[in-house]
Amino acid sequence: MTTRHTVAVLGPGGTGGLLAALLSRSGHRVICLAREATADTLRGTGIQVRSGQFGEFTAPVEADTELREPVDACLIAVKHTALDAALTRVPPAALGDALVVPLLNGVEHPAALRARYGRDRVAPAVIRVESTRLAPGVIEHGSPFTEMDLTGDPVPRTRLEDLAAVLSGAGVTTRVLGDETAALWAKMAFLAPFALLTTRYGLPLGEARTRHREELESLVAETAAVSRACGAPADPAQALSRYDAFPPSAKSSMQRDAEAGRPLELDAIGGALLRAADRHGVPVPVTARLVGELRAAGH
């Protein structure tokens, strides 16, 4: 490691906690931002990780309820439903010249974050990982991979590459992508049909893709059309083949939230898709129906 960085992690849950622990283990200073009880636990015990990829280890971290000093980067790893409340822990004046790196689902959050923190400071990222917080400071990492795409059209490329090197050095396979819209919509185009279909019918992917095949194909086609209208490439056939290759027992995070009675990221995913479709005049009848039915069910 060449330079020791200071990284804040807003939301040290399944994903944020794993990243915090990996960065700490590789020698960087990590400040986790969370509620008082969680911050107390993390200060006392650090973060314990159980991982097939990285082994079992405990990493010390600092923790606070609010950022009080400049950092090199701030990873935002809360869910969209908690974003507004969580951002009060990161006052813009405290950040210094930090890069703000949201790991959120959806496509609308970069604009809101840029309005708060500055246009050239927000570097949206897409992360591919399965990681769960079992208790405060206890993380179970289930996927055999931890991969991130880092982007940000207005951000100087050298800053993105520097942060990518820090993350890669910690064990997160990170690449810098030049087209922010394409990166965000690539995830959205895969996530939206998966989340909406499995959550609406309460079925794992294997049953959903079989029993509701026609709806899945329609969702994929509609999402791809919106993605292309927004300037991002889309391949419906490839998306369908990816769904078919997934384990039959796979569930979307939205479906898991519904089963647990947690708030759903329905507006960040389904709502954002409908708003983009409306802006570009793209008809999305199946998407609109499923989003409407989920909202009618109290989500």
Side-chain angles (χ1 to χ4, degrees):
M1 187 183 70
T2 54
T3 306
R4 185 174 189 249
H5 282 62
T6 299
V7 180
V9 177
L10 177 63
T15 298
L18 176 65
L19 295 175
L22 290 172
L23 287 164
S24 171
R25 185 174 74 158
S26 66
H28 299 287
R29 181 184 174 215
V30 177
I31 306 170
C32 291
L33 304 172
R35 288 181 294 225
E36 185 65 58
T38 298
D40 283 344
T41 298
L42 297 183
R43 280 192 292 264
T45 64
I47 297 178
Q48 305 167 52
V49 174
R50 307 168 190 169
S51 167
Q53 183 182 8
F54 300 113
E56 295 192 11
F57 67 95
T58 299
V61 295
E62 298 175 39
D64 205 337
T65 58
E66 182 179 311
L67 185 65
R68 305 178 197 277
E69 62 181 280
V71 294
D72 295 300
C74 178
L75 309 182
I76 299 181
V78 297
K79 290 215 169 187
H80 211 290
T81 50
L83 180 61
D84 289 344
L87 289 179
T88 62
R89 303 190 190 283
V90 187
L95 269 175
D97 192 36
L99 275 187
V100 176
V101 184
L103 303 165
L104 284 75
N105 292 325
V107 293
E108 295 178 336
H109 57 275
L113 290 168
R114 286 185 172 123
R116 179 177 174 87
Y117 296 114
R119 184 172 178 270
D120 63 347
R121 302 267 297 281
V122 176
V126 173
I127 189 164
R128 289 175 290 278
V129 67
E130 181 186 329
S131 189
T132 305
R133 189 188 89 150
L134 302 180
V138 181
I139 307 297
E140 185 172 74
H141 171 220
S143 57
F145 53 83
T146 308
E147 301 169 349
M148 187 184 299
D149 292 338
L150 189 61
T151 182
D153 292 346
V155 181
R157 177 86 180 195
T158 52
R159 296 205 68 187
L160 296 175
E161 290 174 347
D162 182 50
L163 181 57
V166 169
L167 290 162
S168 292
V172 183
T173 304
T174 307
R175 59 180 183 170
V176 175
L177 300 184
D179 188 334
E180 178 179 320
T181 299
L184 292 177
W185 273 100
K187 181 174 184 180
M188 181 73 147
F190 178 78
L191 178 64
F194 179 29
L196 294 174
L197 195 70
T198 56
T199 307
R200 167 61 184 86
Y201 294 109
L203 295 171
L205 181 57
E207 287 183 69
R209 70 191 176 204
T210 302
R211 291 165 57 177
H212 301 279
R213 186 70 180 189
E214 190 173 328
E215 281 174 280
L216 177 59
E217 291 175 353
S218 296
L219 285 169
V220 169
E222 290 176 6
T223 307
V226 176
S227 178
R228 284 192 292 264
C230 291
D235 185 340
Q238 185 183 56
L240 281 170
S241 68
R242 284 182 67 194
Y243 295 127
D244 288 335
F246 259 52
S249 60
K251 294 182 177 182
S252 66
S253 59
M254 185 187 289
Q255 181 185 1
R256 293 184 188 279
D257 286 340
E259 291 173 348
R262 293 187 291 262
L264 304 191
E265 293 185 301
L266 182 59
D267 188 64
I269 298 171
L273 184 56
L274 294 182
R275 287 187 287 273
D278 185 60
R279 282 196 305 273
H280 294 280
V282 178
V284 287
V286 176
T287 303
R289 177 174 60 78
L290 291 185
V291 171
E293 289 170 354
L294 285 165
R295 285 175 173 161
H299 300 305

